[in-house]
Amino acid sequence: MVDLSTSWLGLSLVSPLIVGASPLSKDTDAVAAAVEAGAGAVIMYSLFEEQLAAEQMAAHRFLDIRTDSDAEARTFMPDLDVFSLDAEPYVRQLERLRKRVTIPVIASLNGTTAGGWTRYAKTLESAGASALELNLYEIATSAEEEGAEVEQRQLDLVETIARAVAIPVTVKLSPFYSALPAFVRRLAGVGARGVAVFNRFYQPDVDLDTLGVDRHLVLSTSSELPLRLHALAILGARSKLDLACTGGVHTGRDAAKAILCGAHVVQLASALLQHGPAHVAVVRAELEAWLGEKGYRTSTEARGVLNLDGAPDPEAWERLNYTQILAGWRSSGGVP
Ligand SMILES: Cc1cc2nc3c(=O)[nH]c(=O)nc-3n(C[C@H](O)[C@H](O)[C@H](O)COP(=O)(O)O)c2cc1C
């Protein structure tokens, strides 16, 4: 029997498998089912920043959902009203979840400017949120604002919120930073307790028939995991913050990879939307079995074993590896 209990953001969790932010948390029964299946915490869907209403709506609200989900899973797909900007229903749902489950409930704020967030952050803290996940979902469309200015604005936002509340604040990041470890170090300096890598951007496609922009949301697959593993392996060795993996975790083996690279917790969103909340038990059993087979007694023993400092072949994570991969591909007959 492997002990999966872990600590994240100062919270004691029964398991590193947590429910990632998604509409699943709108359904109290679904969250209870995920807890029954072994989830260690739940992150609620986001409360979106009012100032960004237009941009967020454009990015999210009119998404069509396309997925090959099970019939059961369709129940958890988002309603179009999911991104309501009125905080009241959000606070009510947070309170309902707090009453129903004993695991930590994390509230999620999605925005990039300080604006009215301080008030919301305090309200969510008073309503019983165990922590806040701040999603820095930002799509740069200005040719005037430089990367350093964007980062400073984001740091100011995190600092404002971290100062406003006593509960821990974790930051959900995009993969698009020139120097991720340095940015994460600065996040720690302004009061963040953790980071989650990485946000998934909903990428519109071009519809050649209608000559329009095709907005639809495709759930992830495990193929999205390696981008996260790479970041975790680097941050696991370079940062003291608690790390969450979000993106591409569908199986227990995926979760094991994230933990080996340094994740304290592993968030599941697409997998639960696709298979339903009871899928946590499947992932949990597979993770437990794998850890047991490899001789780990606890999941924390496995944490970071393959990070940049711990991996037997650390240059595999670094640029040096790039030339070897290219050379290997050529020598294996890749060049026509
Ligand atoms: C339908 C849907 C709704 C989501 N809503 C939110 C949200 O409100 N806030 C947020 O931070 N992330 C949201 N996400 C992103 C997930 O939390 C997660 O970071 C992302 O989907 C990658 O993880 P996955 O591969 O497990 O899906 C949503 C994802 C999906 C699929």
Side-chain angles (χ1 to χ4, degrees), residues 21-23 45-46 78 108 135 172 200 202 217 219-220 246-248 268-270 273:
S22 89
Y45 57 93
S46 295
S108 165
N135 186 340
K172 188 167 178 177
R200 253 177 112 225
Y202 301 110
L217 187 151
L219 296 179
S220 75
T246 176
L268 299 159
S270 290
L273 293 171

Side-chain angles (χ1 to χ4, degrees), residues 204-238:
D205 201 354
V206 167
D207 188 323
L208 289 177
D209 294 325
T210 63
L211 283 187
V213 179
D214 187 12
R215 287 172 293 207
H216 64 269
L217 187 151
V218 180
L219 296 179
S220 75
T221 66
S222 298
S223 67
E224 297 190 21
L225 185 60
L227 178 74
R228 278 81 186 170
L229 297 180
H230 193 254
L232 288 167
I234 293 167
L235 294 177
R238 299 284 177 266

Side-chain angles (χ1 to χ4, degrees), residues 74-214:
R74 287 194 199 103
T75 341
F76 306 113
M77 285 307 183
D79 303 330
L80 287 183
D81 71 349
V82 77
F83 302 109
S84 163
L85 295 171
D86 175 5
E88 189 62 20
Y90 192 90
V91 171
R92 296 285 89 82
Q93 180 58 5
L94 169 58
E95 288 168 345
R96 270 193 292 275
L97 290 173
R98 287 267 298 126
K99 282 203 187 108
R100 182 72 182 273
V101 298
T102 49
I103 60 168
V105 178
I106 320 303
S108 165
L109 294 174
N110 192 317
T112 52
T113 60
W117 281 123
T118 319
R119 186 163 53 87
Y120 287 128
K122 285 183 175 155
T123 306
L124 297 171
E125 180 179 40
S126 308
S130 297
L132 289 178
E133 183 177 81
L134 179 60
N135 186 340
L136 297 178
Y137 190 108
E138 171 135 11
I139 297 165
T141 50
S142 161
E144 306 304 322
E145 197 181 25
E146 308 266 347
E149 292 171 68
V150 173
E151 289 190 6
Q152 192 54 54
R153 182 159 47 71
Q154 296 182 343
L155 289 161
D156 291 345
L157 169 64
V158 174
E159 184 166 28
T160 305
I161 292 179
R163 279 196 179 164
V165 292
I167 54 176
V169 174
T170 178
V171 182
K172 188 167 178 177
L173 295 172
S174 88
F176 308 121
Y177 289 89
S178 302
L180 185 68
F183 184 63
V184 169
R185 179 179 52 77
R186 294 180 75 199
L187 283 173
V190 297
R193 296 280 297 278
V195 285
V197 292
F198 285 124
N199 229 331
R200 253 177 112 225
F201 281 103
Y202 301 110
Q203 300 166 17
D205 201 354
V206 167
D207 188 323
L208 289 177
D209 294 325
T210 63
L211 283 187
V213 179
D214 187 12

Side-chain angles (χ1 to χ4, degrees), residues 210-296:
T210 63
L211 283 187
V213 179
D214 187 12
R215 287 172 293 207
H216 64 269
L217 187 151
V218 180
L219 296 179
S220 75
T221 66
S222 298
S223 67
E224 297 190 21
L225 185 60
L227 178 74
R228 278 81 186 170
L229 297 180
H230 193 254
L232 288 167
I234 293 167
L235 294 177
R238 299 284 177 266
S239 169
K240 295 269 175 281
L241 293 189
D242 285 358
L243 304 177
C245 177
T246 176
V249 177
H250 287 254
T251 67
R253 294 174 73 84
D254 291 341
K257 290 179 187 179
I259 291 169
L260 286 170
C261 289
H264 291 66
V265 292
V266 172
Q267 303 183 6
L268 299 159
S270 290
L272 304 188
L273 293 171
Q274 205 168 354
H275 302 296
H279 188 66
V280 174
V282 178
V283 177
R284 186 191 160 102
E286 198 181 12
L287 171 63
E288 223 174 335
W290 184 86
L291 288 165
E293 271 165 35
K294 293 290 172 194
Y296 291 110

Side-chain angles (χ1 to χ4, degrees), residues 14-67:
V14 293
S15 154
L17 303 174
I18 71 176
V19 179
S22 89
L24 188 134
S25 48
K26 293 194 102 187
D27 181 333
T28 312
D29 289 338
V31 173
V35 174
E36 181 80 10
V42 54
I43 302 174
M44 288 180 69
Y45 57 93
S46 295
L47 187 59
F48 281 77
E49 182 181 355
E50 193 166 340
Q51 290 89 329
L52 287 189
E55 181 188 321
Q56 295 290 357
M57 290 303 161
H60 295 277
R61 192 176 183 181
F62 303 109
L63 293 168
D64 304 321
I65 307 297
R66 263 189 220 165
T67 167

